[in-house]
Amino acid sequence: MNTELLKPKSKCAPLSSEDTFASICKGICKDVTVEPRLIPTIELGDKACLDLGARGVWSPLEKTLCDVRIFHPGADSYKHRQLMDIDKQHEQEKKLKYLEHVINVEKCSFTPLVYSTHGGCGPEAEKFQNNNTH
């Protein structure tokens, strides 16, 4: 058994809900919204939304939209994979789905926030937390 999959990353706090994350961001960022609706397109439809939006995440005036994925690294489908590879796969899936739309249509930046049920997080989520907790 690969114990690397079971080790939580101590650098990242587990995410319990978008509301919890939004309340943390409200003390640091401006215009924090939970589940902001996206501008309708053929690709995403007219009911698409992401999990979190905030101004001032990466720079003072820029709006950033985030989408959260929480996965269980102990699932059978992940048992032969490294945790970092799983994190990156989930980040890439979010980027493939939303990045082009967010940049070109919403005119914002996009950050996928990937967390595991064991307390770890993906590289983008770690940067997001480090940037917004100091």
Side-chain angles (χ1 to χ4, degrees):
M1 179 175 187
N2 186 345
T3 58
E4 182 64 30
L5 295 176
L6 302 177
K7 292 180 186 174
K9 294 180 184 176
S10 60
K11 294 180 183 176
C12 299
L15 179 68
S16 60
S17 73
E18 292 86 5
D19 289 328
T20 301
F21 220 4
S23 67
I24 293 167
C25 287
K26 283 181 183 176
I28 302 161
C29 303
K30 305 281 187 216
D31 303 328
V32 177
T33 55
V34 175
E35 296 186 351
R37 290 243 180 223
L38 300 179
I39 296 169
T41 62
I42 293 171
E43 294 83 15
L44 295 177
D46 62 352
K47 295 185 180 174
C49 67
L50 295 178
D51 294 315
L52 181 68
R55 193 170 305 283
V57 171
W58 301 113
S59 64
L61 300 176
E62 178 185 47
K63 182 160 187 171
T64 300
L65 296 176
C66 303
D67 203 53
V68 178
R69 177 169 293 170
I70 300 172
F71 71 96
H72 180 59
D76 287 343
S77 57
Y78 301 131
K79 67 182 175 183
H80 298 295
R81 299 188 52 206
Q82 293 295 316
L83 192 54
M84 185 57 74
D85 294 337
I86 301 166
D87 288 336
K88 287 180 182 177
Q89 172 198 336
H90 287 300
E91 285 182 354
Q92 282 305 112
E93 288 173 3
K94 292 287 186 186
K95 287 178 180 179
L96 282 173
K97 186 170 183 178
Y98 297 114
L99 182 64
E100 184 178 337
H101 175 90
V102 170
I103 290 172
N104 296 325
V105 178
E106 305 290 332
K107 307 296 185 202
C108 303
S109 65
F110 175 71
T111 302
L113 302 174
V114 175
Y115 294 88
S116 80
T117 57
H118 291 163
C121 65
E124 298 272 346
E126 187 171 343
K127 288 178 202 171
F128 181 88
Q129 286 183 193
N130 288 340
N131 191 59
N132 292 290
T133 57
H134 291 97

